[in-house]
Amino acid sequence: MTIVINNCGTEIDFDAAVNLMDDDIRETIHNELAPCTEQEFFTAYEKAHAAKYGEEWECSKANPVA
């Protein structure tokens, strides 16, 4: 299990978070950043999700509910 830190400082299981990602955003980031660390990918996804939807992604919250 790989742990990443969201923008609120909360530890998140990266593999579980990937299952909750928007497919289009995830693929775009993969194409733009790979190879990169899981943390770099997660952080880029947080920003891209907020830009696309105009709101914080659930896994970006201080107390995420998944």
Side-chain angles (χ1 to χ4, degrees):
M1 177 168 74
T2 300
I3 299 295
V4 292
I5 308 298
N6 73 11
N7 61 12
C8 291
T10 303
E11 293 183 352
I12 303 288
D13 176 350
F14 179 75
D15 293 328
V18 168
N19 290 324
L20 300 172
M21 291 179 178
D22 175 280
D23 292 339
D24 293 332
I25 298 172
R26 187 185 67 242
E27 290 302 316
T28 298
I29 293 176
H30 174 75
N31 290 334
E32 292 175 357
L33 289 182
C36 64
T37 67
E38 287 89 349
Q39 183 65 58
E40 290 169 326
F41 190 93
F42 185 86
T43 301
Y45 182 88
E46 286 183 298
K47 292 175 185 174
H49 182 95
K52 179 176 181 177
Y53 292 105
E55 64 184 22
E56 190 173 48
W57 179 39
E58 184 61 37
C59 290
S60 297
K61 296 177 180 177
N63 294 306
V65 177

